[in-house]
Amino acid sequence: MLLGYIFRRILYMLPILIVVTLIIFLLTYLQPGDVVDAMCGLSCPQEIRERLREVYGLDDPFVVQYLRWVKGVFTELDFGYSPIRKMPAWEALVGEGRWGYTLLLVLTAMFVSWAVAIPIGIYSATHKYSPADHAFTFLGFLGISVPNFILGLFFIWLMVAIVKVGQIPVQFGCITQLTVGEFFSPSCRDAPWGISKFLDFLWHFLPPVLILSAANTAAVIRYMRGSLLDVLKMDYIQTARAKGLSERVVIYKHAVRNAINPLISMLGFWIPYMLEGALVIAIIFNLPQIEKTFIESLENRDYAVVMSGLFVFSLILMIGNLIADILLAISDPKIRYE
Amino acid sequence: MGNAKTTAPTRVEPPKPPAPEEELGYRPLSQRQLIWRRFRRHKLGLLGGITILFLLLIFLFAEFISPNNYWVLYKDYPYVPPMITQIHFDGLRPYVHGLAKRQACIDLDLNIIQYCRDFPPDANPRRLPGVYVYKETDQKYYLKFFVRGPEYKLFGFIPTNIHLIGTGEPMRSPGQFFPFGTDKQGRDLFAMVLFGGRVTLAIAPLVILISFLVGMFLGGLSGYLGGAVDTFLQRLAEIVMSLPRLALLLAISGIVSSLGLIPPMVRFWTIVGLLSMVSWAPIARVIRGQFLALRESEYTQAARALGAGNLRIIFRHILPNIMSYLVVAATLAVPDIIILESILSFLGYGIQHPLTSWGMLLNSLVGEGFQFEVQYHSWLLIPAAFIVITVLAFNFLGDALRDAVDPYTVAEVKEEGH
């Protein structure tokens, strides 16, 4: 039953995939300059030019080119060649463990925001209109309203201009200086793993995670509070209380279990925001991620890499939505599998 | 809900209907008055609304309010720190001291940054290239109101040179007034913030308007016609919503700018178009839901029974009833657009010179020199504060409007004894 649902859900991704590849290919197709210009320059003799056009099939009809491109992408991740980085575009984008850092940051941020927000949401809903609830509500409002790229800017300003981290004397293992940005301080980057390198990593890794998860945390708190308040008004909660169940069981076993479903269905909605945030955070904190390569390639007009980046982002989004839907199907028995 | 009643602008009504008040012992309120009454109770929402009106007003008169023109490069005065805190008073007359640019040095042991020659002889100062300190000369420059300064065109067509405040000194004079300081090229940050605010706040409503028109057309079509049209448009909206919109916007914008130099206003409309392209889908879904709900309502059926056509039902019966929801949705959609536009401009793919926007002003903070800039020229972050204030104001206003428009939430608040 569930497997069938997952299968159908994956089939359902096909039209999205077609649109995404179509858009990406259209962008590649329409942009000025082509492979020939990139390979032998503008002063290329007409003869070689025509040979190359023939080899790369640039004179074929649009649909043929598109299908050939799609085949290349899905069989061997062939997005073309990056003349600036002098390697295949796909390699240039995800190489050197960059995809790992992207996933690590986004997944950790997602996890942190839920781990922080759900308990706060439960507390807020069960202690409605208490001072703490008001404080959390206000903080939540702030978290939603302050865009995370500004949070990132302010954080770096705070560290660099106010706390002056560069001037705090530190000497611990490989750490010789506190720095902001990137995942390691320069002195730790090539050092072997140890306690000091790990601490250095945490010092650099946690701020982006917290900043990236701020908006999501605020949103989850808000929805959790609202959803739990709605559930607590239900008759079956009253029944559970009337049965003499302890308040703890009523809240956690009956109410929270039901209140969390709408949140999971919102997960698919938040993943895009998370990825957008990760893109800007990667730039501000200068993190060695896919996103940074994406922007750099955009600046260098290295469009083969840009297109593979678009493809990766769409893929992450689609998989994220898929996982959210599967989670919802598992957690909410009411969901129909049709 | 008679249309004649709802269009009465204020609670002062024409003397026509005094009768019911006397008979009933209370005053009947129109829907609009009820909404206003509920809205007024939201102090934060009111504050948000007033903030937005205030910002709109000062942005409209940007050139008049700022002492300098935003496009002028004061090459002699790069990186002037904000002078709004440097205003002195001679009795009641405000004045600023003249500016004298000096090379800055830093002493790491003493941890002070000042003019290189001011260090004591035993200190060990190091030059900071690109960082200046401005010594105040003894010369006082009085700030005058309605002063004649640089020439500009008010609203783009009234040529004048009167500024709200300023020193009235010529361009190379040391007596300049830069309330928020200047940037690397010596442009007045205050003037740029005001002008950038105008651009940012012009883009958001335009994008909202376009995406609402598209969303209303497609969402209305989808919700009213149903069937295959509905399924197709819903799938389309879902596909658009599952695209990585920021990356896509960046890629398209990058390719467009690689086509060559385009006029700034074309660029402006390109950004508006791109932003609308990604924001119509969620709006269309909201509108579809509303249409679906109202399509089967009794008064729609009554209208249909009376022989009203589709267009009449849509424009006379459904649209007026979802208008308040649309206003709320529009207000709540503004922050998202502002943030998206700011990110685009921040990364250098949005608004471009000679236009400016808050995100673009922060663009100088992207890249290698970022930490250096933030450390020594932290006033360049002022536009970020404006983004936050504006987004907060729109969120507060939108929340208050939502509560005011939706009577159910208000009933709930009343129940809980507020």
Side-chain angles (χ1 to χ4, degrees):
Chain A
M1 192 81 155
L2 183 64
L3 276 180
Y5 172 74
I6 294 174
F7 180 69
R8 267 194 302 277
R9 185 60 187 67
I10 291 175
L11 273 189
Y12 180 70
M13 278 162 52
L14 272 180
I16 302 181
L17 211 54
I18 292 173
V19 172
V20 166
T21 48
L22 209 57
I23 290 178
I24 295 174
F25 183 71
L26 256 178
L27 289 178
T28 325
Y29 189 77
L30 294 179
Q31 98 212 5
D34 52 25
V35 193
V36 180
D37 294 333
M39 288 192 74
C40 68
L42 289 173
S43 56
C44 205
Q46 194 60 31
E47 218 172 285
I48 302 176
R49 209 164 245 281
E50 272 164 20
R51 276 285 313 276
L52 279 171
R53 286 188 77 85
E54 206 172 302
V55 169
Y56 285 95
L58 292 181
D59 297 321
D60 293 343
F62 176 79
V63 180
V64 176
Q65 288 196 44
Y66 168 66
L67 289 178
R68 191 188 309 125
W69 182 82
V70 166
K71 187 176 160 239
V73 165
F74 282 96
T75 51
E76 45 199 309
L77 292 171
D78 174 20
F79 282 96
Y81 185 78
S82 157
I84 289 168
R85 288 172 192 262
K86 306 233 180 302
M87 54 173 99
W90 178 260
E91 195 69 17
L93 184 78
V94 301
E96 295 167 28
R98 281 189 280 261
W99 63 272
Y101 282 123
T102 294
L103 280 188
L104 185 67
L105 185 73
V106 173
L107 290 180
T108 319
M110 209 71 189
F111 175 77
V112 166
S113 61
W114 281 65
V116 171
I118 297 284
I120 291 181
I122 295 174
Y123 180 88
S124 267
T126 49
H127 299 73
K128 202 164 57 160
Y129 301 136
S130 68
D133 175 30
H134 282 300
F136 286 134
T137 309
F138 181 72
L139 275 181
F141 211 94
L142 224 57
I144 290 177
S145 291
V146 183
N148 42 26
F149 84 100
I150 289 181
L151 267 186
L153 288 178
F154 273 113
F155 174 79
I156 291 187
W157 171 70
L158 201 71
M159 292 316 253
V160 173
I162 305 298
V163 183
K164 301 207 160 125
V165 283
Q167 294 169 26
I168 300 171
V170 186
Q171 199 64 54
F172 181 74
C174 67
I175 309 172
T176 53
Q177 196 190 10
L178 287 179
T179 55
V180 181
E182 308 200 23
F183 279 135
F184 298 102
S185 49
S187 53
C188 281
R189 202 173 294 137
D190 299 319
W193 277 98
I195 295 178
S196 62
K197 185 168 181 178
F198 183 67
L199 283 179
D200 186 61
F201 176 68
L202 279 189
W203 165 262
H204 289 92
F205 182 63
L206 284 183
V209 164
L210 292 181
I211 289 165
L212 187 53
S213 57
N216 200 18
T217 310
V220 178
I221 291 178
R222 218 173 172 188
Y223 282 100
M224 186 66 204
R225 182 180 180 274
S227 172
L228 190 56
L229 281 178
D230 282 348
V231 170
L232 284 174
K233 275 186 216 139
M234 298 281 176
D235 291 339
Y236 61 83
I237 296 296
Q238 203 170 9
T239 313
R241 286 201 176 115
K243 278 195 297 191
L245 294 181
S246 73
E247 191 64 19
R248 206 169 57 88
V249 175
V250 171
I251 301 274
Y252 289 96
K253 206 162 170 208
H254 292 252
V256 171
R257 185 70 188 73
N258 283 297
I260 223 156
N261 287 338
L263 267 96
I264 296 178
S265 63
M266 295 288 291
L267 193 64
F269 179 74
W270 285 321
I271 292 172
Y273 281 92
M274 207 69 168
L275 284 175
E276 278 176 17
L279 210 156
V280 196
I281 294 290
I283 309 302
I284 292 176
F285 282 87
N286 199 13
L287 303 177
Q289 300 193 82
I290 294 180
E291 285 90 343
K292 198 174 151 243
T293 320
F294 178 78
I295 293 285
E296 278 173 3
S297 309
L298 202 53
E299 262 154 39
N300 299 333
R301 302 191 177 174
D302 190 354
Y303 289 119
V305 181
V306 171
M307 296 312 152
S308 50
L310 270 184
F311 184 74
V312 173
F313 295 140
S314 318
L315 215 57
I316 295 179
L317 258 184
M318 270 186 254
I319 295 173
N321 282 330
L322 176 72
I323 293 174
D325 277 3
I326 295 175
L327 278 182
L328 185 65
I330 294 172
S331 110
D332 190 351
K334 278 185 289 185
I335 208 94
R336 282 174 297 138
Y337 289 126
E338 281 90 60
Chain B
M1 248 179 292
N3 243 9
K5 243 184 263 171
T6 47
T7 45
T10 52
R11 46 172 58 233
V12 187
E13 287 186 351
K16 201 171 42 176
E21 193 175 342
E22 287 155 19
E23 281 169 25
L24 297 169
Y26 59 85
R27 210 142 96 81
L29 292 174
S30 72
Q31 181 72 8
R32 191 168 289 196
Q33 285 169 322
L34 280 173
I35 290 176
W36 169 240
R37 186 184 262 198
R38 283 185 231 128
F39 176 72
R40 253 188 341 194
R41 284 212 310 245
H42 263 268
K43 293 289 173 284
L44 279 177
L46 215 53
L47 185 70
I50 293 170
T51 310
I52 292 166
L53 284 182
F54 175 71
L55 288 177
L56 284 177
L57 200 69
I58 61 169
F59 295 156
L60 191 62
F61 291 93
E63 292 98 337
F64 167 68
I65 289 173
S66 69
N68 308 295
N69 287 334
Y70 71 91
W71 60 85
V72 179
L73 310 179
Y74 291 83
K75 288 210 176 73
D76 299 335
Y77 303 108
Y79 290 132
V80 177
M83 293 172 76
I84 201 158
T85 53
Q86 308 292 323
I87 301 173
H88 306 273
F89 283 94
D90 202 358
L92 275 175
R93 296 179 66 194
Y95 67 89
V96 289
H97 286 293
L99 294 167
K101 186 174 79 174
R102 295 284 182 271
Q103 174 62 45
C105 283
I106 186 167
D107 187 308
L108 290 172
D109 302 325
L110 300 169
N111 196 12
I112 39 176
I113 300 168
Q114 58 182 14
Y115 177 38
C116 296
R117 292 195 195 147
D118 285 350
F119 279 96
D122 57 327
N124 184 19
R126 194 161 58 85
R127 277 167 63 93
L128 276 172
V131 181
Y132 307 103
V133 282
Y134 283 88
K135 295 193 65 154
E136 295 187 333
T137 60
D138 294 332
Q139 179 75 42
K140 290 176 183 176
Y141 292 94
Y142 288 99
L143 292 178
K144 298 166 207 126
F145 289 94
F146 301 104
V147 69
R148 293 201 177 270
E151 285 187 11
Y152 63 94
K153 281 188 180 137
L154 191 63
F155 307 130
F157 61 89
I158 308 171
T160 174
N161 60 359
I162 296 181
H163 293 256
L164 177 66
I165 195 168
T167 54
E169 292 288 320
M171 212 179 131
R172 296 187 70 89
S173 147
Q176 299 293 341
F177 181 53
F178 303 114
F180 288 172
T182 59
D183 70 354
K184 189 179 184 178
Q185 285 134 348
R187 281 176 299 188
D188 184 0
L189 191 61
F190 181 69
M192 287 199 293
V193 163
L194 292 191
F195 185 74
R198 180 193 290 175
V199 173
T200 301
L201 283 193
I203 285 182
L206 283 174
V207 171
I208 301 274
L209 186 74
I210 294 175
S211 22
F212 260 78
L213 287 180
V214 175
M216 221 135 78
F217 179 69
L218 293 183
L221 216 60
S222 186
Y224 191 78
L225 294 178
V229 180
D230 183 32
T231 316
F232 173 74
L233 288 176
Q234 283 311 299
R235 289 293 157 279
L236 189 68
E238 266 166 41
I239 289 175
V240 170
M241 280 164 78
S242 53
L243 294 176
R245 53 173 198 168
L246 181 58
L248 198 62
L249 286 182
L250 286 170
I252 298 177
S253 180
I255 288 175
V256 168
S257 34
S258 76
L259 291 179
L261 210 58
I262 35 178
M265 278 325 276
V266 176
R267 180 87 198 161
F268 175 87
W269 285 105
T270 313
I271 297 301
V272 169
L274 285 178
L275 288 173
S276 317
M277 212 174 66
V278 295
S279 37
W280 65 268
I283 292 165
R285 281 171 75 99
V286 171
I287 296 171
R288 167 185 173 266
Q290 295 286 336
F291 261 84
L292 273 183
L294 290 187
R295 189 179 61 175
E296 304 305 328
S297 67
E298 284 86 355
Y299 62 81
T300 325
Q301 285 176 359
R304 201 173 292 130
L306 285 171
N310 280 349
L311 282 179
R312 188 178 164 81
I313 291 178
I314 289 177
F315 284 103
R316 289 290 297 178
H317 298 277
I318 296 186
L319 266 186
N321 275 296
I322 63 171
M323 219 52 205
S324 49
Y325 289 95
L326 294 189
V327 170
V328 173
T331 315
L332 285 172
V334 169
D336 201 36
I337 308 283
I338 291 182
I339 293 174
L340 206 55
E341 187 272 322
S342 299
I343 292 179
L344 273 186
S345 303
F346 172 64
L347 295 176
Y349 293 92
I351 294 299
Q352 274 168 6
H353 191 74
L355 289 180
T356 189
S357 80
W358 290 335
M360 191 186 148
L361 291 176
L362 295 171
N363 178 244
S364 61
L365 301 177
V366 179
E368 293 299 310
F370 167 48
Q371 297 202 2
F372 176 82
E373 291 278 35
V374 167
Q375 189 168 1
Y376 296 111
H377 310 125
S378 49
W379 58 88
L380 293 179
L381 281 170
I382 289 175
F386 274 82
I387 296 178
V388 173
I389 291 170
T390 315
V391 166
L392 263 179
F394 272 102
N395 273 340
F396 281 138
L397 179 70
D399 267 20
L401 278 180
R402 179 172 54 197
D403 288 355
V405 161
D406 185 0
Y408 299 107
T409 51
V410 174
E412 199 181 39
V413 169
K414 261 187 196 158
E415 261 172 40
E416 284 153 2
H418 252 252

